[in-house]
Amino acid sequence: MSGDTQMNELGVFLKARRAELTPRGVGLPDTAGPRRVTGLRREEVAHLASISTDYYTRVEQGRIRASAPILNTLADVLKLDDDQRTYLFSLAGKPSTRAPRQTKQTVQPQLRRLLDDLSSVPAIVMGRRMDILGWNRLAAAMITDFGQVPQKHRNYVRILFTDPTMKALYADWETVAKTAVAQLRMEAAKYPDDPRVAALVGELSVQDPQFSQWWAAQNVASLSVGTKTMNHPVAGELVLDWDTLTATTDAEQQLVIWTAAPDTPTHEALRFLASWTEREREPDTATEESARTQP
């Protein structure tokens, strides 16, 4: 799409969005008499954005490129949702300077069904800040019983640094922990003003000198693929390949799975752990299921 086409599309987009609003809906007096345009007038949008009508008119007509702060203000005035805001900045050829509004995350239904069906593959769903939103029974048996961790503390990095069993579980805990810190820094960069990220980093920096040192190193990494070795107290040594799949219904939810090649000792050990987990289940699993499905 050429620059002129983008500018024209931006004007059409702005006009369509202001046509969806009413003066009363944005706190303006609804003056009596017929209106020549549907929705808000250009001068009303300009007034709400604290810019001149002439400036807004030229933006809408594609004659000038608005700055990022003006675009943010217009997005607020026109009550754009996150996708519309992203599209507006894309048409203007500028990166968005505002983090999307964050709502409480719950596991997507499709991922929940997939977790339940993966009876022989450990899997978790990780959300923003590397919070653990969901898991299956085999992941709980392999790593830790996430249902026993308070929801506000159900974060992968936090568990790595505060649960003493993690250092015994991971054969190379230091590498795993360093990578997790680098992944958390990548997550933090997406939402630099997120108070929960700041609180988590502050807490772990005070409690653990290694976390503080690795966080200060400014290393970054994304969730992708890799191999981890675990020393499981029941299944023995597990050499696992892990992979990350992003949900198309929510790009901030990622399914993390651990697998092993068929006919390997780890593959057999996972099958043993899965059967052991089934044997250890209590007859009444209603409480467990409720905790497991409520992130």
Side-chain angles (χ1 to χ4, degrees):
M1 188 183 295
S2 68
D4 289 342
T5 302
Q6 282 185 304
M7 294 293 283
N8 290 334
E9 287 290 329
L10 185 145
V12 172
F13 181 69
L14 289 174
K15 186 175 181 179
R17 299 289 75 79
R18 67 180 172 89
E20 296 173 341
L21 303 175
T22 63
R24 181 175 298 177
V26 295
L28 293 175
D30 194 356
T31 56
R35 297 173 66 87
R36 293 189 302 169
V37 297
T38 302
L40 297 180
R41 300 185 180 99
R42 284 174 176 167
E43 57 265 30
E44 291 170 331
V45 174
H47 170 73
L48 292 168
S50 300
I51 58 179
S52 71
T53 301
D54 178 65
Y55 183 91
Y56 176 74
T57 299
R58 285 185 290 161
V59 171
E60 194 175 281
Q61 291 178 344
R63 290 189 285 146
I64 61 171
R65 292 184 178 273
S67 64
I70 292 295
L71 291 172
N72 262 325
T73 302
L74 290 175
D76 290 337
V77 168
L78 297 173
K79 300 185 181 299
L80 302 188
D81 62 25
D82 291 335
D83 288 340
Q84 291 171 331
R85 183 184 294 268
T86 299
Y87 182 66
L88 174 67
F89 273 79
S90 177
L91 288 177
K94 298 181 184 298
S96 179
T97 58
R98 172 173 168 175
R101 289 179 286 273
Q102 294 184 14
T103 57
K104 181 180 178 181
Q105 284 187 298
T106 57
V107 179
Q108 293 291 303
Q110 299 92 326
L111 291 183
R112 178 72 269 166
R113 291 193 294 268
L114 182 58
L115 281 177
D116 291 337
D117 286 342
L118 292 174
S119 58
S120 62
V121 175
I124 63 174
V125 174
M126 199 174 291
R128 290 189 296 263
R129 318 172 196 89
M130 301 176 71
D131 288 342
I132 296 172
L133 306 180
W135 57 92
N136 61 10
R137 286 192 296 273
L138 192 51
M142 186 180 75
I143 302 174
T144 190
D145 186 353
F146 299 108
Q148 297 301 311
V149 180
Q151 180 180 340
K152 65 179 180 179
H153 293 157
R154 208 174 290 157
N155 175 277
Y156 180 69
V157 181
R158 190 182 191 282
I159 290 171
L160 271 180
F161 280 89
T162 61
D163 185 341
T165 64
M166 293 298 103
K167 290 189 176 182
L169 176 65
Y170 287 102
D172 188 0
W173 175 87
E174 184 168 312
T175 296
V176 171
K178 279 183 178 179
T179 302
V181 172
Q183 290 164 342
L184 179 63
R185 180 169 283 284
M186 182 74 84
E187 283 291 301
K190 298 177 185 177
Y191 309 110
D193 298 321
D194 188 338
R196 288 187 58 187
V197 172
L200 175 63
V201 171
E203 175 192 1
L204 295 180
S205 295
V206 170
Q207 292 184 2
D208 196 296
Q210 286 180 299
F211 177 90
S212 180
Q213 175 188 348
W214 297 334
W215 183 260
Q218 299 282 329
N219 293 321
V220 296
S222 59
L223 286 169
S224 53
V225 298
T227 301
K228 289 179 181 177
T229 300
M230 297 182 180
N231 296 316
H232 195 273
V234 173
E237 184 181 73
L238 302 173
V239 182
L240 296 156
D241 298 318
W242 62 274
D243 204 343
T244 308
L245 309 173
T246 301
T248 56
T249 48
D250 182 354
E252 292 181 316
Q253 293 195 27
Q254 295 176 307
L255 178 72
V256 183
I257 58 174
W258 290 264
T259 60
D263 301 323
T264 61
T266 295
H267 187 260
E268 295 303 314
L270 281 180
R271 293 180 61 184
F272 166 76
L273 185 60
S275 63
W276 176 83
T277 301
E278 287 297 321
R279 292 196 302 270
E280 289 296 307
R281 292 184 67 195
E282 296 180 359
D284 182 7
T285 60
T287 301
E288 174 196 344
E289 290 295 316
S290 175
R292 188 166 53 87
T293 58
Q294 296 295 325

